[in-house]
Amino acid sequence: MRYDSQQHTITTERLLLRLFEKADAETVASHCNNINIYKNTLHLPHPYFLNDALVWIEPQRENYKADKFYEFAVTDKESGQIYGTIALSNNRAYQNGEIAYWIGEPYWGNGYATEAAEAMIQFAFEEKKYHKVFARYFKTNSASGKVLQKIGMKKEGTLKEHVRKDNRFKDLVYCGIVRGESALEA
């Protein structure tokens, strides 16, 4: 992972994580207007429209500059194709943050979420000096659980019927990693 503080980018073997631009809104809307993305995310609406993407993208640069929230487009390093997004919150008081991500369905199974999540863990520990990074996922979304396991996160517990989505209560699984536990930090 290589972080460029001037360009606000993170580069990995195959990916360039960069800030979103307004011009990305159509691609974001196309990826997010997918029932399978909707089913596995907590806050995305469905259907998902161009205006939803524009409203989501608009505050991102200010949040980044204010060190509140870092949201990056997950893109192909060579072509620039947008695969999805990865985000990291910043809770300064506790020196921790939550990662969250989605990858467009056509790109599932290629390891992009894992590669982006590894980079965000390194960014959190090395650049932002976090003590802990955590994540949560619907218990029904085992693919997300596998991503978190691959990046070294450990399951910390399940909150039974913790959130309501589509008029049903869903279990949330919490995972975390503390600085020094990660092989990525070596």
Side-chain angles (χ1 to χ4, degrees):
M1 184 278 302
R2 191 178 82 248
Y3 173 60
D4 183 331
S5 61
Q6 298 299 313
Q7 296 296 316
H8 313 298
T9 59
I10 297 172
T11 306
T12 69
E13 184 181 333
R14 300 179 297 163
L15 304 173
L16 176 69
L17 310 182
R18 63 162 176 81
L19 300 179
F20 279 94
E21 303 287 341
K22 262 185 159 175
D24 299 325
E26 272 189 50
T27 303
V28 169
S30 174
H31 284 318
C32 289
N33 193 30
N34 176 314
I35 194 67
N36 294 318
I37 299 283
Y38 167 78
K39 284 193 280 188
N40 290 310
T41 56
L42 189 55
H43 299 292
L44 289 182
H46 192 268
Y48 193 99
F49 298 106
L50 178 61
N51 193 57
D52 295 317
L54 290 167
V55 167
W56 176 68
I57 290 169
E58 206 251 310
Q60 290 181 6
R61 281 194 184 275
E62 285 307 312
N63 287 337
Y64 181 91
K65 287 178 191 174
D67 268 338
K68 287 182 181 177
F69 205 64
Y70 317 103
E71 292 181 276
F72 293 97
V74 176
T75 70
D76 182 272
K77 187 163 69 173
E78 303 302 322
S79 72
Q81 174 68 40
I82 296 173
Y83 297 141
T85 187
I86 188 142
L88 176 69
S89 64
N90 185 3
N91 186 332
R92 287 187 205 104
Y94 299 112
Q95 293 179 298
N96 71 26
E98 178 179 12
I99 62 168
Y101 49 85
W102 57 258
I103 299 294
E105 189 171 11
Y107 307 108
W108 290 1
N110 292 301
Y112 300 134
T114 301
E115 190 171 329
E118 282 177 344
M120 286 303 270
I121 295 288
Q122 288 181 281
F123 173 74
F125 290 147
E126 295 171 14
E127 301 297 329
K128 297 300 175 181
K129 308 301 183 203
Y130 285 20
H131 175 70
K132 181 178 183 175
V133 177
F134 64 96
R136 56 196 167 140
Y137 64 94
F138 291 134
K139 189 175 182 179
T140 54
N141 185 1
S142 61
S144 196
K146 287 176 185 169
V147 166
L148 299 175
Q149 184 179 30
K150 286 179 191 174
I151 64 169
M153 286 196 172
K154 303 282 188 267
K155 181 179 171 183
E156 295 183 346
T158 300
L159 299 178
K160 189 165 179 61
E161 297 184 9
H162 191 69
V163 294
R164 189 171 178 199
K165 183 166 178 109
D166 294 331
N167 295 314
R168 289 186 308 193
F169 289 96
K170 298 188 80 147
D171 294 351
L172 275 185
V173 178
Y174 274 73
C175 298
I177 188 167
V178 174
R179 185 196 308 213
E181 292 179 343
S182 173
L184 305 172
E185 297 172 81

